[in-house]
Amino acid sequence: MKDTATDTPEAFDAVVVGAGFAGLYTLHRLRGLGLSVRVFEAGSGVGGTWFWNRYPGARCDIESLEYSYQFSEELQQEWEWTERYATQPEILRYIEHVAERFDLVRDVQLETRVLAARFDDSANRWEIGTDKGAVSASYCIMATGCLSCSHTPNIEGLDRFTGPTYHTGRWPHEGVDFSAVRVGLIGTGSSGVQSIPFIAEEAEELVVFQRTATYAVPAHNAALDPEYQRNVKARYSEFRKANRQTHLGFGSDYPASDDLAAEATPEELEARYEERWARGGLHFMGAFVDLMLDAEVNKGAAEFVRGKIHEVVEDPAVANLLSPEQVIGCKRLCVDTGYYETFNRENVRLVDIGKTPIDCVTEKGVKVGEVEYEVDAIVFATGFDAMTGALSRIDIRGLGGRSMKEKWAAGPRTYLGLGTSGFPNLFIITGPGSPSVLANMVPAIEQHVDWIGDCIAHMRSAGLCRIDVAQHAEDEWVDHVNQLADATLFPTCNSWYLGANVPGKPRVFMPYLSFPLYVAKCDEVAANGYEGFALS
Ligand code: NAP
């Protein structure tokens, strides 16, 4: 990656880290502004999340007509989704189609991991070091994803286990054959909930190790009605606009309600929860506007779901164990197809590791207390070092050589989730402090990329070459993000939103609550000459 004539690192206007939904659209947008761009991607293909998460049953739990790009009218008109919720292979095909259609691949360097990024103050450029060499760029854009850095707990004895181990977020591309295999699976978040029914179908035996029971709402997936797809496409821009205005970030045709559960009668509550349950999916959390604000209201919704679990699971003791106690929604709600039913199968066992944690992994299996569960393979559905994990694994150094990891030691600090003070010309797509994981990721990504694109276009036309976050704007934003979260029930449990799933990670609520408010704020900041940023 060196200019052979001068022996200096190859120079670009922008370097983008990651070739998932965010990185690819950034490349397209910046190329459209006339910038030279290089994208680095660690994987051997594009797709990010959808490249890596190939576990059995992987699919998106936001509906396919909403979980897709809107930047190209032709693309959104021509692409045909086949199911209400797209599978991982279908989403990956879509991303690959986009990469090809917009001729993006030629600027993506695959199998290249970015290891370091250092801002050279005198040259006003980023020097980006990869495992294949170094380049430099005026802008460094982190499109590294919120859930891209897998987390495998450090369980004693794991290295002596004689069978294979897998992580749902790093699933082998050739797939795994579990027939005649006794599988132990740790983790019952979205990845566990999706993969458990599939693994149970195939494996000889499945032992599920559950630390915290999870709330799962039925997906009611089905083939996408062609008439409905045509109907949405006929009004796609209106449909997308509605998407931006709902506080859940999705549900254009079935928005979150503004009604207060605290003002509803018991019959109205029951009817509303039943209606949302029958509709399926994450819409359940949109039943009432005070569901994440009022602990009593939340208890009612939680009780409703526990009732459903008991209707499905035949053994009352297993049903009890599968019934969560925490606030519903404070860990991300799961969307399932046959999850609870799976625990009625003869070949599935549920082991409570909430009260008695895993003691160790042995050569032959997993030991909990005095009991050793013999298994041939272990699946870790144990999630991610979310939102900051991928960034903290890159040695990012800003003004004066200051390390971002050190700056964020007590928790991430950003302005709008887009940038952090002291790191000029560095943008983060869906960074901590932006709605990201609490919105619909693809529109959230597009909103960020468009904002950054507009900002860079403004700087170029005004002859400006440096943008940095003002310290006071960052401090105020961090306080504001926390205040919003503290007014809700979100901080009440050990979720990955808080970093609580990774031992030693600071407990800070990372996403911004409310996509519509956030978009309005970003628009206002831009309209006021990038208020809160210092441009020079
Ligand atoms: P997750 O929600 O963080 O779930 C991890 C699971 O592993 C939890 O049950 C957790 O228990 C358990 N666990 C973690 N460390 C453990 C340990 N040391 N010992 C025992 N158990 C441990 O991860 P995920 O299921 O991969 O999902 C992460 C996020 O990715 C989701 O919330 C969602 O946003 C996204 N996702 C979306 C989809 C979809 O669209 N359908 C699918 C998959 C993932 P505790 O609860 O006790 O911590």
Side-chain angles (χ1 to χ4, degrees):
M1 285 188 275
K2 278 193 173 168
D3 180 325
T4 41
T6 60
D7 201 34
T8 51
E10 210 174 336
F12 298 93
D13 292 322
V15 155
V16 179
V17 187
F21 267 110
L24 290 177
Y25 181 44
T26 308
L27 166 58
H28 178 68
R29 184 73 163 80
L30 296 187
R31 206 194 252 171
L33 294 175
L35 270 69
S36 62
V37 185
R38 169 65 51 88
V39 180
F40 292 117
E41 166 57 54
S44 59
V46 299
T49 290
W50 301 104
F51 175 84
W52 296 106
N53 284 266
R54 295 171 188 239
Y55 58 83
R59 67 169 74 235
C60 184
D61 57 16
I62 305 272
E63 299 183 24
S64 44
L65 288 165
E66 302 187 39
Y67 191 84
S68 46
Y69 287 125
Q70 55 195 292
F71 69 83
S72 159
E73 182 61 16
E74 293 75 25
L75 171 68
Q76 69 177 3
Q77 288 298 333
E78 287 167 27
W79 183 266
E80 289 287 308
W81 294 103
T82 65
E83 292 181 76
R84 178 176 172 188
Y85 307 94
T87 60
Q88 174 272 331
E90 187 169 18
I91 300 174
L92 188 58
R93 273 200 304 280
Y94 170 76
I95 299 175
E96 287 169 349
H97 166 80
V98 170
E100 212 168 292
R101 181 178 185 130
F102 296 96
D103 189 23
L104 302 177
V105 183
R106 67 183 156 91
D107 286 326
V108 179
Q109 185 173 320
L110 299 171
E111 294 181 318
T112 305
R113 184 169 287 281
V114 171
L115 303 172
R118 170 181 285 272
F119 188 69
D120 177 346
D121 197 5
S122 56
N124 205 37
R125 293 182 72 76
W126 282 92
E127 291 166 358
I128 291 118
T130 78
D131 56 3
K132 305 271 161 56
V135 299
S136 81
S138 303
Y139 296 97
C140 179
I141 297 165
M142 295 297 181
T144 41
C146 295
L147 295 158
S148 50
C149 183
S150 61
H151 167 65
T152 302
N154 188 13
I155 302 175
E156 201 235 297
L158 192 53
D159 51 348
R160 62 175 179 246
F161 182 62
T162 50
T165 62
Y166 307 97
H167 190 287
T168 47
R170 285 287 178 277
W171 204 258
H173 287 198
E174 61 282 11
V176 181
D177 181 3
F178 283 128
S179 44
V181 174
R182 296 168 304 167
V183 182
L185 183 146
I186 303 170
T188 52
S190 297
S191 305
V193 163
Q194 284 190 333
S195 56
I196 283 167
F198 282 78
I199 296 174
E201 278 276 333
E202 195 181 39
E204 182 182 312
E205 191 190 339
L206 174 64
V207 187
V208 175
F209 297 94
Q210 172 189 276
R211 186 165 70 180
T212 311
T214 196
Y215 293 97
V217 169
H220 298 316
N221 186 38
L224 198 52
D225 173 8
E227 186 43 47
Y228 179 63
Q229 184 154 203
R230 265 195 297 280
N231 173 301
V232 168
K233 287 182 175 182
R235 55 186 170 91
Y236 228 148
S237 62
E238 207 182 292
F239 182 85
R240 301 288 197 183
K241 200 167 153 208
N243 210 258
R244 276 191 174 205
Q245 282 156 358
T246 165
H247 73 83
L248 289 179
F250 55 84
S252 299
D253 280 351
Y254 193 67
S257 167
D258 290 329
D259 297 341
L260 287 165
E263 292 177 355
T265 64
E267 295 73 27
E268 285 166 342
L269 292 171
E270 185 73 10
R272 179 66 59 83
Y273 292 138
E274 281 292 357
E275 179 206 317
R276 294 259 156 180
W277 189 266
R279 182 67 166 72
L282 298 168
H283 299 292
F284 189 81
M285 291 311 293
F288 293 100
V289 73
D290 48 353
L291 214 54
M292 288 306 291
L293 299 173
D294 182 326
E296 281 309 308
V297 164
N298 191 285
K299 273 186 199 160
E303 192 49 40
F304 176 87
V305 178
R306 284 192 288 267
K308 292 290 185 190
I309 297 170
H310 278 266
E311 280 173 23
V312 172
V313 180
E314 289 156 9
D315 181 336
V318 177
N320 279 339
L321 203 49
L322 286 168
S323 296
E325 287 165 9
Q326 72 271 14
V327 158
I328 182 170
C330 76
K331 292 191 180 204
R332 189 178 180 280
L333 191 67
C334 298
V335 177
D336 84 294
T337 299
Y339 174 65
Y340 295 116
E341 288 84 346
T342 300
F343 293 91
N344 294 332
R345 294 177 65 102
E346 290 286 321
N347 69 334
V348 176
R349 285 176 81 169
L350 181 65
V351 176
D352 179 10
I353 53 166
K355 290 201 186 74
T356 311
I358 292 173
D359 182 41
C360 62
V361 171
T362 66
E363 283 164 21
K364 290 188 290 182
V366 179
K367 196 159 168 246
V368 179
E370 289 309 304
V371 186
E372 184 180 16
Y373 296 89
E374 285 193 17
V375 293
D376 306 308
I378 300 176
V379 173
F380 287 94
T382 46
F384 302 89
D385 182 352
M387 306 200 71
T388 54
L391 292 169
S392 67
R393 278 155 183 82
I394 302 172
D395 184 16
I396 305 170
R397 291 185 182 264
L399 292 174
R402 188 177 186 200
S403 144
M404 188 191 280
K405 196 173 168 186
E406 278 161 28
K407 178 180 171 184
W408 287 10
R413 299 190 69 79
T414 71
Y415 179 42
L416 304 171
L418 282 161
T420 185
S421 173
F423 295 77
N425 294 7
L426 180 132
F427 292 108
I428 308 165
I429 316 273
T430 62
S434 76
S436 61
V437 293
L438 286 178
N440 174 357
M441 275 315 267
V442 186
I445 284 167
E446 283 185 298
Q447 185 261 342
H448 261 190
V449 174
D450 287 337
W451 192 96
I452 293 165
D454 289 348
C455 176
I456 292 177
H458 164 79
M459 288 175 66
R460 285 162 71 91
S461 69
L464 301 164
C465 61
R466 184 186 287 206
I467 178 166
D468 196 0
V469 169
Q471 189 61 57
H472 71 90
E474 178 175 299
D475 294 344
E476 284 160 21
W477 185 253
V478 170
D479 287 348
H480 173 58
V481 173
N482 288 326
Q483 274 163 12
L484 273 191
D486 288 344
T488 71
L489 301 170
F490 276 101
T492 59
C493 66
N494 294 327
S495 68
W496 59 256
Y497 298 138
L498 282 158
N501 61 324
V502 175
K505 195 166 169 173
R507 193 182 172 97
V508 175
F509 192 79
M510 294 181 280
Y512 181 81
L513 282 159
S514 178
F515 191 55
L517 276 184
Y518 178 81
V519 173
K521 173 71 181 174
C522 288
D523 290 349
E524 184 191 308
V525 165
N528 291 341
Y530 296 93
E531 196 174 30
F533 290 92
L535 284 85
S536 54

